[in-house]
Amino acid sequence: MQLGVCYYPEQWPRTMWADDAKRMVELGITHVRIAEFAWSRMEPRAGEFVWEWLDEAVATLANAGLKLVLGTPTASPPKWLIDAHPDVLPVRADGTRWNFGSRRHYDVCSEIYRRECLRIVSAMAERYGRHASIIAWQTDNELGCHETVPSYSPAALARFHAWLRRRYETVDALNREWGNVFWSMEYASFEAIELPNLTPTDANPIHLLDFRRFMSDEVASFHREQVDVLRRYAPTADVLHNFMGFFTTFDHYRFAENNSLDVAAWDSYPIARTESIALPEEQKARYARTAHPDVSAFDHDRYRAIGRGRFWVMEQQAGPVNWAPWNPVPAKGMVRLWAYEAFAHGAELVSYFRWRQCPYAQEQMHSGLNLPNNELSPGGLEVQQAAREIASIPEFARLDAPTQAATAVVFDYETQWMFEIQRHGKGFDYQALVFDYYESLRELGLDVDIVSSKADLSSYRLVVVPSLAVIDDALVAQVERGSAQWVFGPRSGSKTEAFAIPQQLPPGALQRVLPMQVLEVESLRASLAPAVSIDGVDGIAMHWREHVRANSETRVDAQFADTWPAILTHGRVRYVAAWLSHALHRAVLQRAAQEAGIATQLLPEGLRIRRRADLTFAFNFGAQQVQVPAPANATFVLGQPQLRTGDVCAWKDA
Ligand code: GAL
């Protein structure tokens, strides 16, 4: 359980650095991340490196006893570089180019830019790669932030052609797979293919999907090029990237393949995230100052899988931020609570953003651990409290990593892309559906692992697949082999890899273990709300429903008022034929958990629990004081069983 902070020495007079370092250590901070936007100071003119200031900053922080995370500065190419190579600026879907003047103004496909990045990263890594206090390197910063993944530039087009050629080998194969006979879309050569923007109506969905697959691979290879340099010059340091919450524009599982990450780090802004994702307005209002109780947990559990067990929070909200639609001050206790929450889910480090609020430029309205006048902010005081507690609680010093949960939720990036490309109804947001299932499981007091459909799922007792567009034979084999209960949600098995309807109808290959067919699907406006009741809970289908034919071996466990099946079961496999209202999802999952032999308990509103090694942590995000469900003989190592809003406790079962 270590605490860190993000620091920008280049933004402050040198006379402050030593005092900043000293005060960080006094606060209980052990790690500091620097340099990720400082290219214009490292190389003020092309080829003219100035390291003296960074040498001094590194030495000052290291001499104070801090461990450093060094960021490569490639998220903010300096003006001279853009002036010399204006083609580095990415092209948007409407054909215009971004301008210089903020950050992330580069085209990930630009070979010139990739070369420039390797130049600065090599120079930096050569100089600092073996510094004993630099224990980790961060590549770039939040790849894809500000919607900068896709570029519609000539550079992107050339690389897309090469990518398509590798995938399809011949243009005839591509025409066949894409179904280009439709609307006379056939191509005579790969070079004839264009990027899927600026078309009068939707481009062919597989054209859009392949473009997204391609761009996702481009982001991963852009990062990979930096990793290879860092591994060469900094062989003992951890390499990481700081991903974002609820962000799906590239495939993070593929990104993390082939040893390209030691740690998955991510940036956690719970209140801002709650404000900016698709949640009912009522929930946004209820959790305006605490953040939704599952919004951070969801990504902690997701990034734990992406980092194969190792994850950090690289940036943690420390007070009000500047970028959400509304930016309230967090409820008292939350800045401390979020650190414990991350640790309970297995984080090794929680690093706050940022050391001191900057009085100028874009983020002047963004808080830090210090006010602009250098006084500890309310968030800073909470970090001080957390640091003191952590240092004084012996159980925290030797806390093992979390063990595998009994329940897995499958999350799949390509499914997100497919259903974004083909929503079919306004309300269908795959990630929101996954989140609804996840929330239900957590309300039932369960620990959850979020996993890829390609992971080994054999030792889970309950596997929940809120939806998975393509179901392959390997997954069906996993269902057949184990003894787990499986729950599949709507649109599972509804597509092939080539974005077509499976020949045997949805749910495709899943029919081997669940004999049923989806005949028609409908998206539902709010006025169409088919009613259904499950285990005594009444509710409706919203956004999406399927008209399903069950084969005689398949049991219909619940049906809509108009008699279409809602829940179908065959052996250990369940199918949910609609996007159900929340309490119904919970009822389905509660029943499946029971059948899997997993004990559930409905927690009071706003309370969440998470087990790590022999400790159970509890967090109150709700408005009311609550009593935690600890056994009578539990030993509390932190806090007590009554939790006020924003409070946390941890106990050991006797
Ligand atoms: C993150 C970013 C930081 C800072 C922060 C503000 O997305 O990585 O550089 O901008 O947001 O909340």
Side-chain angles (χ1 to χ4, degrees), residues 58 109 161-162 167 235 274 283 341 436 459 627 629 641 649:
V58 167
C109 302
H161 288 159
R167 189 176 174 93
T274 299
Q283 291 211 354
E341 185 192 19
D436 200 82
S459 47
Q627 170 83 25
C649 65

Side-chain angles (χ1 to χ4, degrees), residues 63-140:
N63 291 342
L66 292 157
K67 294 179 180 141
L68 276 79
V69 181
L70 215 54
T72 69
T74 54
S76 52
K79 185 66 165 57
W80 59 256
L81 193 158
I82 299 299
D83 287 344
H85 308 287
D87 288 358
V88 159
L89 294 169
V91 178
R92 301 188 300 174
D94 69 1
T96 59
R97 275 190 198 268
W98 295 108
N99 274 339
F100 180 86
S102 66
R103 63 175 171 185
R104 302 214 54 75
H105 44 282
Y106 70 84
D107 179 350
V108 82
C109 302
S110 158
E111 286 175 18
I112 295 171
Y113 192 57
R114 285 178 177 230
R115 206 180 58 220
E116 288 293 305
C117 289
L118 290 187
R119 217 173 41 74
I120 185 76
V121 173
S122 303
M124 223 182 146
E126 211 172 335
R127 190 168 188 92
Y128 300 105
R130 292 186 186 268
H131 194 295
S133 296
I134 298 172
I135 53 99
W137 287 73
Q138 172 187 301
T139 60
D140 205 87

